[in-house]
Amino acid sequence: MESQPMYLPEDVILKVENLDVKFYTYAGVVHAVSNVSFYVKEGETVALVGETGCGKSVTTRAVTRLIESPGRIEGGSALFRRRSGKVVDLLKIGDEELREIRGNEIAYVFQDPTSSLDPLYTIGYHIHETIVAHKSKISKKQTFKQAVSLLKQVLIPSPEIRVKNYPHELSGGMRQRSVIAIGLSNNPRLFIADEPTTNLDVTVQAQILDLLKSLQENYKMGLILITHNLGIVAEVANRVYVMYAGKIVEEGYLEQIFYNPSHPYTKLLLRAVPDPTKKIEKLESIHGTVPSLINPPPGCRFQPRCPFAMEKCLIKEPPLIEVENQHRSACWLLERT
Amino acid sequence: METIFRLLRSIIWSYAKLREKISPGWIQKNSSRIKEWELMAYAYSRSLIGVIGGVIVLAVFILAVIGPLLAWEPYWEYKIVYDESLRYRGPCLPPSCTGYPLLGTDEWGRDIIAMSLYGFRISFVISIVVVLLGAPLGIILGLIAGYKGGVVDEIIMRITDIFLAFPGLVLAIAFASVLPQRIRGFLEVNNIARAFFSGLFGLRQEEYGQLAALLSIWIAMVIVWWPGYARIVRGSVLSVREMPFVEAAKLSGLSTWSILFKHILPNVLSPVLVMMTFDIATATLFAASLSFLGLGPQEPVPELGFMISKAGGYFPERSSHVVIYLGFILLMMALGWNLLGDALRDILDPRTRRAIEYRLEKEKKK
Amino acid sequence: MSSNEILKVLDLKKHFRVRGSLTKKVKAVDGVTFSIEVGETLGVVGESGCGKTTLGRLVLRLIEPTSGRIIFDNKDVTKAKGRDLREYWRNAQMVFQDPHTSLDPRMTIASILLEPIRYYNLKVGDEEEFLVKQMELVGLGREHLYRYPHELSGGQKQRVAILRAIITKPKFVVLDEPTSSLDVSVQAQILELLKDLQRKFNLAYMFISHDISVVKYMSRRMAVMYLGKIVELGASDDVFEKPYHPYSKFLLAAVPIPDPKIARSKTKVLIKGEPPSPINPPAGCRFHPRCPYAIEICRKQEPPLLEIENKHYAACWLYHKK
Ligand SMILES: Nc1ncnc2c1ncn2[C@@H]1O[C@H](COP(=O)(O)OP(=O)(O)OP(=O)(O)O)[C@@H](O)[C@H]1O
Ligand SMILES: Nc1ncnc2c1ncn2[C@@H]1O[C@H](COP(=O)(O)OP(=O)(O)OP(=O)(O)O)[C@@H](O)[C@H]1O
Ligand SMILES: [Mg+2]
Ligand SMILES: [Mg+2]
């Protein structure tokens, strides 16, 4: 296993390369994630944006090997720098080591906060369980104290009382904050938040985003934020990966993506969001729908909906082409010949 | 597995073609439905449990239909009248002994296997009909209670509670001790009913006295059987009622009854269907235990529970094989339905149905 | 009542009984008054649980109001029953928040769309041809007609739900967060579709959403709700540019803006605490426990909804003397 030494640049926590995930369903093989590569640095917020079903959740779940039955990880690597400094490939290590990492060094907040809390246990117990799973010698009193301080950090009012509450006794926003607190309980190095604010009010959303940002600054953890709301991306992200139909179509720093988008999909996506500070006569919408991932269109996957599609787009899939420093985009329009 | 899938698919398509012949355009309009059926067939063929359950149920069904015709001995002939040595013979396995029935005889010298063939029909008919009568009653009451709410709900559910609180067995015993005489009187005068029921159970018309006992078990069971359905249906209705599509239907101008039968019922039916399958298993055993307790038919009717109860009198020296054999039959009948119900639960849920892994042979080889 | 108003709601209230208690009540909607003109959109924004959906369902008589009046097209429909109620529903429809649950999963699109046609006895000639023509209105085709809802994408489902609502040619449609479970790109499509249909059929909309950017884009006027009451009402631009009520200010400050420079430079003002329970709303102004500007009177007396500027109303004591 350890035949070739695995290399990660000093400040990179996670580096995923050529990830491939397929689902074997009756209707056919769903190629949910194809050839996706990305990395996360320490103390950095990386946003993964894209429409429903483009593979954002599957990508991040695959990284922690949380893909279930009809799905299979078909290839790629996910190098992760552990707290000890050791670099491991999350897709290859044994189950035991993976379990050590999950919930301890990598925390995952799922799309729906309600379903990741067990209604039979209090919030305090959830935190206790997460801590005990990775540290055997710790008393219940200690974890309880830790739980209170965690809840305080995620800005839950009167945390001494709330630790004893059951999930259903909390509002949606508080539940989401508790899930974040559980995720934080072992000081993870990497925090994956899958749409942490959908279904929440704007006021609560603003609170949660503010919270995530300050926590990340304090803990120096890497944060992968999955969302389809470009407003949120503009508020918190450092770098952005835009996904379409199971592939990354554009990547770059926040400003590069927002002020100099080069993939037609990104451009259209940006114009589809109503910006309340501007007077908009008509929203641009992208015609058509996301293609089926069972028989994706040949060539560029966005070509059937793309207003600039050319002959070449029908035939050959565009690779990621460098636009400027660290800014790459998968579109034939960028090819300078 | 593959052959089962192909078989089911050809059944689906021949049905579709038949409909197409009756009303052209049917296949196009129902293409989605056909696809869904195919998917169900596929999901079923993937489930080992379901296939085993289906095979058992099918075997039981075939035996129930042809059993009484197949039986090589009439159950009403007491053989020991001619041959005293036939009384409670043990099993007779061919190399060591020949000329006697394979699994031996009962105390009247009748072949156990032939008797049990009649028994299949009786158990099968009772269990199916109990569920088929009890379930709709419970479903309708549950629908009304759940949808109307308020006082109607209170009344229906309190009655249901009373029936649920009353031990089913005791209620059935009470009914079984009062009903037979009346039914007997009814069957005595009504030739058509007599012919119908005796045909249904595969018995002789002369046995109408025993038929009355069977029917009384039957009625007693129907009466104790519906409350479970009322409960489960009401619960599902309460959650479906809150779905936006029900409100949308209201806005589309549908009356309460149309909403109940067009939108709510179809959406609560799958858990009920699963429960019915499990209940057929329970009913089989319940009926057998009622007659085991002596509340069912008496001689010469070869009801399985009754036969076990008689064998109990000679247990264990002379009849352990009878008890084991008959017990095994009952177990298989119940197990078949149970396994089928288990598979059905997955197949009827569109989400699990879709999640069943599909391995393309080509992909696997790569 | 001016003849141009299609809907007028007067002091509408809905108090739900709390299970297991005889006296406790959820005051989901507590005295709401507004009107909507023919062909106009009124936006309604507010936090989760403030009673937006309840208000929409009340207006359509899907639930019975505790008190208040609903006047539609100059007719009082507050107590309408049977035939009158059906007549009302033919003219006032609703699109629900979640397209995945607002279409019966066991019916094909065609049979879903045929329901209003059959039950309202609409004369349409050949049903299939009619449906195909209607499907074109919302950008769907014949091939979608015989599918089940789960075979359509979220956006397509919402199109079907919209079509079902307008197939009876209503004058007024309640849109309860019609895009909140959809992607931004699909949201843009649906919003454009709704605007397009409004122009074509002169529809009046009540557009409910918690996304202020969307409400601002869709509606000429908007109402801000807090705990069952309208706290601010006015032209969308005015409310957005110059919110009066402190709650509206917080709400607007929390809206994420899809422009990194503006998003990072704007001063963060985060609202304190959680919305209080509608079971025991605070006395006086309902916002006072979270309001940084609360004064003495706010704790005691409920502020009325007053016109502060031309057609711009707010319920706040701070502006009362002026
Ligand atoms: N269990 C599964 N079986 C089959 N296909 C699946 C399964 N889970 C995901 N997929 C497919 O994988 C693709 C990517 O799904 P994924 O959940 O990653 O999307 P997403 O980008 O997270 O979308 P959303 O914004 O809705 O969360 C989809 O096309 C989906 O149909
Ligand atoms: N049928 C009901 N019985 C009892 N209480 C109810 C009922 N329907 C709604 N409520 C309560 O009324 C209040 C308002 O609910 P409503 O659904 O109208 O809020 P909303 O503004 O639409 O919220 P959201 O943005 O989450 O959809 C909530 O406190 C809710 O719990
Ligand atoms: Mg997801
Ligand atoms: Mg709502």
Side-chain angles (χ1 to χ4, degrees):
Chain A
M1 287 266 289
E2 304 271 319
S3 54
Q4 70 197 84
M6 286 178 275
Y7 172 73
L8 263 190
E10 203 46 21
D11 54 347
V12 173
I13 307 178
L14 177 75
K15 188 172 167 78
V16 174
E17 275 192 333
N18 308 327
L19 185 69
D20 235 45
V21 183
K22 287 181 182 164
F23 286 90
Y24 293 84
T25 69
Y26 174 74
V29 182
V30 183
H31 205 156
V33 172
S34 32
N35 214 7
V36 162
S37 306
F38 65 96
Y39 66 88
V40 186
K41 286 187 187 171
E42 234 161 60
E44 181 186 49
T45 301
V46 169
L48 213 54
V49 288
E51 286 172 275
T52 300
C54 69
K56 307 182 295 289
S57 301
V58 171
T59 301
T60 47
R61 292 173 75 109
V63 167
T64 42
R65 294 220 314 246
L66 287 169
I67 300 285
E68 279 146 20
S69 177
R72 254 180 268 151
I73 302 171
E74 303 268 288
S77 66
L79 299 188
F80 177 70
R81 184 189 302 284
R82 296 198 56 175
R83 212 172 268 142
S84 59
K86 188 178 159 209
V87 176
V88 294
D89 185 345
L90 293 172
L91 303 184
K92 299 222 172 66
I93 54 176
D95 288 344
E96 193 53 41
E97 190 173 4
L98 185 70
R99 192 137 18 93
E100 253 171 57
I101 294 175
R102 261 193 225 150
N104 182 9
E105 298 183 30
I106 300 180
Y108 199 117
V109 170
F110 289 100
Q111 214 158 343
D112 175 14
T114 317
S115 61
S116 53
L117 290 171
D118 188 333
L120 294 179
Y121 297 105
T122 61
I123 300 302
Y125 187 83
H126 277 98
I127 295 179
H128 164 77
E129 222 181 14
T130 321
I131 297 175
V132 167
H134 300 285
K135 277 192 210 104
S136 42
K137 282 184 224 105
I138 191 161
S139 74
K140 200 160 183 182
K141 234 184 203 160
Q142 270 173 298
T143 56
F144 188 78
K145 238 191 229 153
Q146 233 170 311
V148 173
S149 83
L150 278 169
L151 291 185
K152 198 182 263 164
Q153 276 183 45
V154 297
L155 306 176
I156 287 182
S158 46
E160 304 81 16
I161 301 167
R162 292 301 182 189
V163 277
K164 291 184 206 135
N165 275 164
Y166 288 90
H168 68 91
E169 294 172 299
L170 305 175
S171 71
M174 278 206 250
R175 246 177 271 162
Q176 186 61 282
R177 269 175 271 187
S178 316
V179 172
I180 291 174
I182 295 169
L184 287 172
S185 48
N186 287 315
N187 283 336
R189 289 172 52 74
L190 180 65
F191 199 93
I192 304 175
D194 193 350
E195 315 217 7
T197 59
T198 16
N199 305 327
L200 293 181
D201 284 314
V202 275
T203 51
V204 184
Q205 168 175 302
Q207 290 170 344
I208 300 250
L209 291 179
D210 200 55
L211 170 74
L212 278 177
K213 228 161 90 181
S214 66
L215 287 172
Q216 188 209 11
E217 275 157 22
N218 294 345
Y219 287 100
K220 282 262 169 283
M221 58 184 186
L223 174 64
I224 300 179
L225 182 72
I226 298 177
T227 178
H228 58 250
N229 187 336
L230 287 165
I232 294 178
V233 176
E235 303 251 348
V236 297
N238 300 111
R239 277 188 313 115
V240 182
Y241 289 92
V242 181
M243 277 189 88
Y244 184 77
K247 308 198 113 215
I248 286 178
V249 293
E250 184 158 6
E251 60 181 68
Y253 283 102
L254 182 70
E255 284 76 14
Q256 295 172 334
I257 297 286
F258 272 81
Y259 299 128
N260 184 21
S262 56
H263 197 285
Y265 177 63
T266 318
K267 286 182 192 167
L268 287 171
L269 204 58
L270 283 167
R271 265 182 274 164
V273 194
D275 183 343
T277 56
K278 300 194 179 91
K279 194 131 195 99
I280 315 156
E281 276 313 309
K282 195 168 169 14
L283 285 177
E284 297 264 346
S285 53
I286 311 173
H287 292 287
T289 50
V290 187
S292 141
L293 293 178
I294 293 174
N295 281 315
C300 170
R301 292 189 177 179
F302 186 58
Q303 139 265 316
R305 302 171 75 186
C306 182
F308 311 106
M310 317 175 287
E311 193 87 345
K312 191 167 188 185
C313 307
L314 283 162
I315 304 158
K316 211 166 161 217
E317 212 171 323
L320 280 168
I321 299 169
E322 184 117 13
V323 184
E324 46 192 325
N325 179 33
Q326 295 278 330
H327 182 186
R328 302 195 298 159
S329 171
C331 181
W332 286 124
L333 289 173
L334 294 166
E335 197 187 35
R336 270 170 248 138
T337 39
Chain B
M1 295 281 157
E2 193 58 38
T3 37
I4 288 175
F5 178 48
R6 245 180 274 142
L7 179 75
L8 289 171
R9 199 156 74 171
S10 66
I11 293 174
I12 292 169
W13 275 102
S14 38
Y15 173 73
K17 288 200 184 111
L18 188 73
R19 291 296 296 262
E20 178 78 18
K21 233 175 245 160
I22 298 168
S23 54
W26 192 87
I27 288 188
Q28 191 226 332
K29 287 188 182 178
N30 289 277
S31 54
S32 286
R33 186 183 295 180
I34 295 171
K35 224 189 295 164
E36 211 59 21
W37 287 343
E38 277 188 325
L39 193 51
M40 279 190 206
Y42 178 75
Y44 175 71
S45 71
R46 283 271 116 183
S47 151
L48 185 64
I49 301 183
V51 172
I52 294 174
V55 169
I56 296 176
V57 166
L58 193 68
V60 169
F61 173 72
I62 291 171
L63 281 175
V65 172
I66 60 167
L69 313 172
L70 211 66
W72 45 87
E73 279 185 23
Y75 63 87
W76 56 89
E77 264 179 28
Y78 300 137
K79 283 266 188 68
I80 51 164
V81 177
Y82 326 115
D83 185 354
E84 187 59 34
S85 71
L86 281 171
R87 172 191 292 265
Y88 254 125
R89 281 199 56 90
C92 164
L93 300 173
S96 54
C97 87
T98 47
Y100 286 112
L102 195 63
L103 276 186
T105 63
D106 69 355
E107 77 274 33
W108 301 115
R110 295 175 298 184
D111 185 341
I112 290 286
I113 297 182
M115 293 299 101
S116 66
L117 284 175
Y118 289 104
F120 267 111
R121 168 76 72 86
I122 298 173
S123 288
F124 191 79
V125 170
I126 286 200
S127 58
I128 294 254
V129 176
V130 160
V131 172
L132 287 187
L133 289 182
L137 182 64
I139 291 171
I140 289 175
L141 287 174
L143 269 180
I144 296 172
Y147 191 72
K148 285 276 174 185
V151 184
V152 181
D153 182 23
E154 264 327 290
I155 295 174
I156 293 179
M157 289 328 284
R158 287 303 81 78
I159 296 174
T160 311
D161 281 347
I162 293 172
F163 272 89
L164 272 179
F166 216 88
L169 199 60
V170 176
L171 202 67
I173 290 172
F175 277 115
S177 57
V178 189
L179 279 176
Q181 292 90 324
R182 297 178 186 227
I183 299 173
R184 194 194 168 112
F186 168 73
L187 288 179
E188 222 160 28
V189 292
N190 196 325
N191 288 332
I192 301 168
R194 195 166 64 210
F196 173 73
F197 284 115
S198 51
L200 191 63
F201 283 110
L203 299 176
R204 286 190 309 164
Q205 290 210 20
E206 287 88 322
E207 249 81 65
Y208 65 86
Q210 307 313 327
L211 213 51
L214 265 177
L215 288 178
S216 77
I217 299 190
W218 208 21
I219 293 172
M221 282 173 66
V222 170
I223 286 169
V224 298
W225 222 259
W226 63 268
Y229 290 93
R231 262 279 163 86
I232 186 174
V233 169
R234 174 180 173 269
S236 321
V237 170
L238 283 184
S239 61
V240 173
R241 193 179 70 166
E242 298 298 325
M243 299 290 267
F245 68 77
V246 173
E247 270 186 356
K250 248 192 209 174
L251 288 174
S252 298
L254 272 74
S255 65
T256 306
W257 284 103
S258 315
I259 291 177
L260 265 181
F261 286 101
K262 285 193 70 178
H263 291 283
I264 295 188
L265 182 60
N267 280 291
V268 302
L269 218 51
S270 27
V272 171
L273 224 59
V274 173
M275 181 166 161
M276 280 169 74
T277 331
F278 285 135
D279 265 0
I280 294 177
T282 323
T284 311
L285 300 181
F286 197 90
S289 43
L290 280 184
S291 34
F292 178 82
L293 293 175
L295 296 165
Q298 304 296 322
E299 294 295 1
V301 173
E303 211 281 341
L304 296 175
F306 178 54
M307 285 168 74
I308 294 179
S309 142
K310 284 190 303 180
Y314 303 86
F315 194 76
E317 297 86 15
R318 315 192 58 181
S319 65
S320 47
H321 64 284
V322 179
V323 174
I324 290 172
Y325 167 65
L326 295 178
F328 180 73
I329 290 179
L330 283 174
L331 180 75
M332 286 321 261
M333 288 174 109
L335 189 70
W337 286 108
N338 259 320
L339 295 180
L340 194 63
D342 229 29
L344 218 54
R345 184 169 19 214
D346 290 348
I347 294 161
L348 290 178
D349 181 349
R351 245 169 314 155
T352 40
R353 179 156 80 216
R354 253 153 253 290
I356 288 175
E357 182 159 3
Y358 190 72
R359 270 176 247 245
L360 282 176
E361 291 305 315
K362 273 180 251 151
E363 285 279 339
K364 224 170 53 177
K365 273 178 209 144
K366 265 186 203 170
Chain C
M1 178 168 184
S2 82
S3 58
N4 213 16
E5 279 173 355
I6 183 86
L7 177 85
K8 195 173 176 72
V9 165
L10 295 166
D11 200 27
L12 204 57
K13 286 185 187 169
K14 178 70 194 183
H15 297 177
F16 290 107
R17 217 177 274 138
V18 176
R19 249 178 188 281
S21 161
L22 288 176
T23 48
K24 272 193 200 157
K25 292 209 167 119
V26 178
K27 297 186 175 168
V29 171
D30 202 20
V32 165
T33 302
F34 64 87
S35 61
I36 296 177
E37 285 176 13
V38 174
E40 181 203 42
T41 306
L42 173 75
V44 177
V45 288
E47 278 176 290
S48 179
C50 71
K52 306 183 294 293
T53 301
T54 308
L55 180 61
R57 294 169 71 207
L58 269 181
V59 165
L60 285 184
R61 288 283 317 280
L62 286 168
I63 41 178
E64 293 304 312
T66 310
S67 69
R69 285 176 68 201
I70 305 160
I71 294 151
F72 181 79
D73 217 0
N74 291 319
K75 276 190 284 290
D76 191 329
V77 292
T78 323
K79 292 263 145 56
K81 275 208 182 71
R83 192 177 271 250
D84 293 339
L85 190 57
R86 273 168 49 108
E87 184 57 27
Y88 176 42
W89 282 344
R90 201 161 68 84
N91 286 304
Q93 284 282 330
M94 182 153 176
V95 175
F96 298 87
Q97 172 168 358
D98 185 2
H100 308 287
T101 54
S102 68
L103 304 177
D104 189 334
R106 298 194 182 258
M107 288 173 96
T108 57
I109 303 307
S111 43
I112 288 171
L113 292 175
L114 279 176
E115 272 192 341
I117 296 174
R118 297 221 170 120
Y119 285 87
Y120 287 123
N121 294 321
L122 305 181
K123 301 275 175 295
V124 295
D126 182 51
E127 281 172 349
E128 189 169 341
E129 286 317 306
F130 176 76
L131 285 186
V132 171
K133 227 180 268 156
Q134 295 287 310
M135 292 283 271
E136 274 161 22
L137 269 182
V138 293
L140 296 173
R142 187 191 291 267
E143 71 273 17
H144 299 111
L145 218 42
Y146 299 112
R147 296 210 189 149
Y148 283 99
H150 66 77
E151 294 174 278
L152 301 182
S153 71
Q156 289 172 330
K157 273 186 239 182
Q158 199 60 297
R159 283 163 196 266
V160 172
I162 290 170
L163 179 55
R164 172 178 57 191
I166 61 160
I167 211 163
T168 58
K169 299 258 177 303
K171 297 173 184 155
F172 169 63
V173 182
V174 173
L175 303 163
D176 185 10
E177 316 213 18
T179 58
S180 67
S181 56
L182 304 175
D183 278 324
V184 273
S185 64
V186 184
Q187 166 172 300
Q189 292 173 354
I190 297 284
L191 295 181
E192 288 309 322
L193 171 67
L194 286 169
K195 279 199 154 180
D196 195 40
L197 292 171
Q198 179 167 46
R199 252 174 265 130
K200 247 183 225 159
F201 301 113
N202 200 24
L203 290 165
Y205 287 148
M206 178 168 147
F207 191 96
I208 297 171
S209 177
H210 61 256
D211 188 340
I212 293 150
S213 336
V214 172
V215 169
K216 178 169 178 264
Y217 174 66
M218 285 300 287
S219 44
R220 205 158 53 91
R221 288 193 305 137
M222 77 165 134
V224 181
M225 270 186 94
Y226 185 75
L227 272 190
K229 288 201 163 266
I230 290 183
V231 294
E232 186 152 356
L233 176 69
S236 301
D237 290 337
D238 295 348
V239 175
F240 195 83
E241 302 297 331
K242 211 163 127 200
Y244 284 116
H245 200 280
Y247 175 68
S248 318
K249 289 183 187 165
F250 282 115
L251 203 57
L252 292 172
V255 181
I257 291 164
D259 184 328
K261 276 186 198 140
I262 302 177
R264 307 254 158 139
S265 64
K266 82 176 177 208
T267 44
K268 283 267 150 58
V269 270
L270 293 182
I271 195 167
K272 289 182 299 182
E274 299 279 328
S277 141
I279 295 177
N280 271 319
C285 171
R286 296 180 174 199
F287 187 59
H288 86 254
R290 301 169 81 188
C291 180
Y293 314 108
I295 47 177
E296 197 51 41
I297 190 168
C298 302
R299 280 176 254 282
K300 296 195 184 106
Q301 229 178 319
E302 222 171 303
L305 195 62
L306 282 184
E307 187 163 2
I308 295 171
E309 251 179 339
N310 181 31
K311 299 251 165 102
H312 187 167
Y313 304 81
C316 180
W317 288 118
L318 291 178
Y319 306 99
H320 209 235
K321 277 148 250 156
K322 288 171 204 162

